[in-house]
Amino acid sequence: MQPAPHTPRFQVLRRILDHRLGGVVRLGGLVVGLALATRIGLLVTSWRAVDARPGVLIAVFAAGFLQDVALAACLALPAIAYLVLVPQRVFAHRLHRVVVGVFFLAVLYALCFLGVAEWFFWNEFETRFNFIAVDYLIYTREVLGNIWESYPIPSLLAAIGFGAAGLLLAFWRKADVDAFLRSRTPLRARLAVGAATALACAGFAWAIGERALPEFSNRFDAELARNGVLSFATAFQANRLDFADFYSTLPDTDAFQTLRELLRSDDARFVSDDPRDLRREIHHPGEALRYNVIQITVESLSSLYLGVLGGKQGLTPQLDAIAHAGLLFTNFHATGTRTVRGMESLTLSVPPTPGQSIVKRPHNENLFTLGSVFRGRGYDTVFFYGGYGYFDNMNAFFSGNGYRVVDRGAVAADAIHFANAWGAADEDLYQWVLQEADRADAAGQPFHHFVMTTSNHRPFTFPDGRIDLPSHSGRAGAVKYTDWAIGHFLEEARHRPWFDHTIFAIVADHCSSSAGRTDLPVARYEIPLILYAPGLIAPGVVDRLSSQIDLAPTLLGLLHWNYESRFFGKDVLAMRPADERAFVSTYEALGLLKPGQLVVLRPKHRDAAFRYDRVSGEQTPTSMDARLRREAIAYYQSADAIDGLRGEAAVAR
């Protein structure tokens, strides 16, 4: 029930609204109101996933309200400056009424657009705007092309426009904007009130922000409490998080000494007693083999899609057959949630460090990589990508670390028969691989190919007639086409002279979705790894707990190579039970997974521990194991320190 017009409370509100700076209050009301509508919409979308107990929801909306007001306070500052400084004769002019109307229409359109964008982003990633949105803002060509091909953009923009216009009409009458436009406030009074209001807004925005968010046990509740715009700004600032400033640490010497103990193995000997020197001489018995290695890194291929790993949709008949004929790893995990994280782990064999991937950081050339080991043995090392490799700094990273690059921009136009916003169809990409493999083999040169696919990515389009699902029908069709393309590639490779001495490693860059009720839902991080080489590798199943950083040393172990290693990973086929562990992460939550146990390091020392049931996927909070926490800190702190040292320690070559 609203206060009656004659009550003191109403009169105070009326005086505020009728003041020239009453426009700021109206603007804030729009921002907070539409942010609330967005939060309610996202809540309805994820109702089954949230903790919907009344007390929790009250906390979500209370924290969300403060976040929304903080955003409104930030946006109010330029509006305050304008309303204070615009001369009275301009403010009172009838054309100014039009200017104000256009301004409020633009604000309404922008807020409605952001609400719709957040809804689509939430449905794709089950999170508010985050570091993914930051990256997407940078690579507009691929992202805008992907959005245009995935959604009915003209219809959506028109609908948003009509909605914003309707809201403006309702808002203009309900908020009595005309009364605010008729106000007459002397400059001195405007300056005094404006300064006080600006200080209040700035102080509130600084005091609240994302720092004021409470802890929620359910990740969906935590995301709902955020404001998407503030979340985006926080992610932009957090692209590089300094481990020592944000995370629990050990004395550097203790961290490296602990890590050296964790890296010890029967086949390795440290080359020095310096605790910060992680170089080990790796020795494998037997004759060194010069097999070719083609690593097919598949976009967004979660374990749950493969029939051999429990998938029920029948989407991967080719991969299932390949797995039966090869070596299938059934307890293998992605280290992160982005392609660059997969590339980082698969080439550098290091745990993921906070913030941005090493692939995207400056000065990331001349590192110790799997490619550098192959190149040192005279191999032709090539990075293949179906799209344009400037995306996510891929070309710079691989070319700076000894790989030749073959991407969409490096091939002739007639080498691409189908493409979407992300790149050429997988079948075209594999033709490029076959041509380069034929060329190297004809020259008598062994080769290592890192192949990065794109077809299993929204907008999920591919050539017609390949499978029994139509293009642009969703993830299922893209997975099935991806599977067909791999099978078709291997069938063509089978007739090449180099096939019988080539190892094919099929692995995902990351899973298709990593969102869950906790920061790091371990089950979502499971990805397939298949090592396929008929006549060279006996078929079998490996169920040892491991992750992407272990692929490089495992491949080199299969080749029986002796080499000096700076890798953090281990040969999975030589692992002892005590060595089993995996690394899983977001850009700020860093997890160390042991059988049945998960330790998560978070910014501001908010570390957590969970019991993990692999069968059910349930993660139950538990008391922290001090030893496991120490191991987690040692791994991640040392990896972060090494990345900072560049040429002087274990990552640098």
Side-chain angles (χ1 to χ4, degrees):
M1 183 175 180
Q2 293 185 344
H6 62 276
T7 63
R9 187 165 39 145
F10 181 87
Q11 292 173 359
V12 171
L13 178 61
R14 188 74 265 169
R15 288 180 61 188
I16 293 173
L17 291 174
D18 288 349
H19 191 277
R20 180 187 286 204
L21 288 172
V24 174
V25 179
R26 290 173 169 85
L27 174 64
L30 284 178
V31 173
V32 173
L34 288 176
L36 173 63
T38 299
R39 183 170 291 107
I40 292 172
L42 298 181
L43 173 62
V44 172
T45 299
S46 302
W47 181 254
R48 293 184 178 181
V50 302
D51 182 346
R53 290 176 294 174
V56 175
L57 289 183
I58 290 172
V60 166
F61 278 87
F65 174 76
L66 292 177
Q67 293 282 296
D68 300 341
V69 173
L71 173 63
C74 293
L75 298 178
L77 294 174
I80 292 170
Y82 173 79
L83 291 172
V84 167
L85 298 176
V86 65
Q88 182 64 39
R89 65 179 182 278
V90 175
F91 185 80
H93 198 282
R94 60 184 179 181
L95 289 180
H96 189 253
R97 190 174 188 273
V98 176
V99 171
V100 172
V102 171
F103 171 77
F104 277 120
L105 179 61
V107 169
L108 282 166
Y109 190 92
L111 292 173
C112 291
F113 178 86
L114 285 171
V116 172
E118 275 214 80
W119 189 84
F120 281 111
F121 191 85
W122 183 278
N123 277 292
E124 179 76 12
F125 301 106
E126 295 181 309
T127 180
R128 292 283 197 162
F129 289 143
N130 60 9
F131 69 104
I132 298 175
V134 174
D135 283 352
Y136 278 14
L137 187 67
I138 297 171
Y139 299 103
T140 54
R141 177 175 182 164
E142 285 82 0
V143 173
L144 291 179
N146 176 45
I147 292 171
W148 186 266
E149 293 174 8
S150 301
Y151 305 108
I153 298 302
S155 299
L156 283 172
L157 294 178
I160 292 170
F162 283 118
L167 285 173
L168 177 64
L169 292 175
F171 167 76
W172 200 275
R173 292 193 298 269
K174 188 72 174 176
D176 196 8
V177 177
D178 287 326
F180 142 69
L181 292 171
R182 291 193 298 268
S183 65
R184 301 183 63 85
T185 310
L187 177 60
R188 182 175 297 179
R190 298 201 306 265
L191 288 171
V193 175
T197 306
L199 285 173
C201 288
F204 186 85
W206 179 85
I208 300 300
E210 290 216 329
R211 292 172 296 182
L213 282 169
E215 290 286 335
F216 291 96
S217 60
N218 184 302
R219 190 194 63 83
F220 283 91
D221 292 310
E223 291 295 329
L224 284 172
R226 289 187 167 94
N227 176 281
V229 177
L230 292 183
S231 184
F232 177 89
T234 300
F236 186 84
Q237 293 174 336
N239 258 351
R240 182 69 167 95
L241 292 175
D242 186 87
F243 193 93
D245 289 342
F246 288 92
Y247 292 85
S248 302
T249 60
L250 299 170
D252 270 356
T253 301
D254 290 354
F256 276 96
Q257 286 178 339
T258 300
L259 179 62
R260 282 169 66 98
E261 290 301 315
L262 293 169
L263 293 180
R264 290 189 187 280
S265 61
D266 295 337
D267 61 359
R269 184 184 68 83
F270 285 98
V271 301
S272 79
D273 294 327
D274 180 355
R276 298 176 70 86
D277 188 352
L278 302 183
R279 291 176 299 153
R280 286 107 58 216
E281 290 181 352
I282 306 297
H283 177 75
H284 290 108
E287 181 183 356
L289 306 171
R290 286 177 66 82
Y291 297 149
N292 308 307
V293 175
I294 296 179
Q295 178 187 309
I296 302 173
T297 312
V298 185
E299 171 69 39
S300 304
L301 187 66
S302 296
S303 288
L304 58 88
Y305 295 126
L306 274 69
V308 290
L309 295 175
K312 305 297 184 184
Q313 295 179 275
L315 301 177
T316 58
Q318 299 297 326
L319 284 172
D320 292 343
I322 294 165
H324 285 301
L327 195 59
L328 173 66
F329 292 71
T330 56
N331 200 1
F332 196 74
H333 297 74
T335 60
T337 60
R338 298 296 313 284
T339 296
V340 285
R341 279 299 188 196
M343 289 177 170
E344 173 187 271
S345 301
L346 294 167
T347 55
L348 296 173
S349 184
V350 294
T353 47
Q356 193 57 269
S357 165
I358 294 171
V359 174
K360 299 190 66 175
R361 295 179 191 172
H363 313 301
N364 61 1
E365 65 281 350
N366 300 318
L367 306 181
F368 179 78
T369 67
L370 176 61
S372 68
V373 178
F374 276 109
R375 194 173 65 258
R377 297 290 182 106
Y379 276 60
D380 182 30
T381 53
V382 188
F383 168 64
F384 294 88
Y385 180 55
Y388 295 106
Y390 65 78
F391 183 80
D392 271 348
N393 204 46
M394 287 186 260
N395 280 1
F397 173 77
F398 280 96
S399 63
N401 288 288
Y403 289 83
R404 286 192 300 114
V405 173
V406 177
D407 70 348
R408 184 175 178 177
V411 301
D414 60 4
I416 301 173
H417 301 93
F418 182 95
N420 59 26
W422 287 109
D426 286 357
E427 61 190 82
D428 287 338
L429 172 67
Y430 292 136
Q431 288 301 314
W432 311 344
V433 176
L434 290 170
Q435 291 169 9
E436 289 295 328
D438 290 344
R439 183 201 57 76
D441 187 65
Q445 185 177 23
F447 52 85
H448 162 55
H449 291 167
F450 188 117
V451 185
M452 184 67 236
T453 74
T454 61
S455 289
N456 189 29
H457 194 297
R458 190 177 297 278
F460 307 131
T461 55
F462 45 84
D464 292 327
R466 301 299 190 259
I467 60 172
D468 57 1
L469 293 175
S471 176
H472 214 302
S473 60
R475 175 75 70 179
V479 170
K480 197 163 190 177
Y481 170 74
T482 295
D483 175 77
W484 174 88
I486 291 174
H488 183 70
F489 165 66
L490 290 178
E491 185 57 35
E492 291 204 29
R494 195 179 309 277
H495 302 292
R496 262 50 179 200
W498 45 263
F499 178 83
D500 290 335
H501 47 275
T502 299
I503 297 174
F504 298 88
I506 303 171
V507 64
D509 61 343
H510 56 84
C511 45
S512 62
S513 173
S514 60
R517 297 186 178 187
T518 60
D519 287 338
L520 299 173
V522 172
R524 296 288 187 95
Y525 282 76
E526 291 192 12
I527 58 172
L529 169 62
I530 304 170
L531 300 182
Y532 176 73
L536 303 179
I537 299 177
V541 174
V542 179
D543 195 48
R544 297 183 184 120
L545 175 61
S546 51
S547 61
Q548 286 169 318
I549 74 167
D550 300 311
L551 178 57
T554 300
L555 287 172
L556 297 176
L558 283 168
L559 296 174
H560 302 165
W561 283 8
N562 300 328
Y563 64 102
E564 185 178 275
S565 175
R566 295 172 171 89
F567 295 147
F568 279 60
K570 292 191 175 184
D571 181 350
V572 181
L573 301 179
M575 269 186 179
R576 301 167 298 181
D579 295 332
E580 295 186 37
R581 82 285 168 271
F583 301 91
V584 292
S585 74
T586 63
Y587 74 104
E588 63 176 17
L590 310 173
L592 173 63
L593 177 67
K594 291 290 190 80
Q597 298 174 288
L598 172 67
V599 172
V600 181
L601 306 180
R602 297 172 176 152
K604 304 177 187 176
H605 317 293
R606 297 177 295 110
D607 305 335
F610 301 87
R611 289 192 300 271
Y612 173 58
D613 186 326
R614 188 182 172 202
V615 175
S616 66
E618 289 296 318
Q619 293 175 207
T620 308
T622 188
S623 57
M624 180 65 73
D625 183 312
R627 179 181 59 82
L628 290 183
R629 180 174 178 270
R630 182 181 181 85
E631 290 183 9
I633 294 172
Y635 274 120
Y636 285 110
Q637 180 179 333
S638 301
D640 188 78
I642 284 170
D643 178 43
L645 291 171
R646 312 310 305 169
E648 300 175 15
V651 170
R653 186 165 184 243

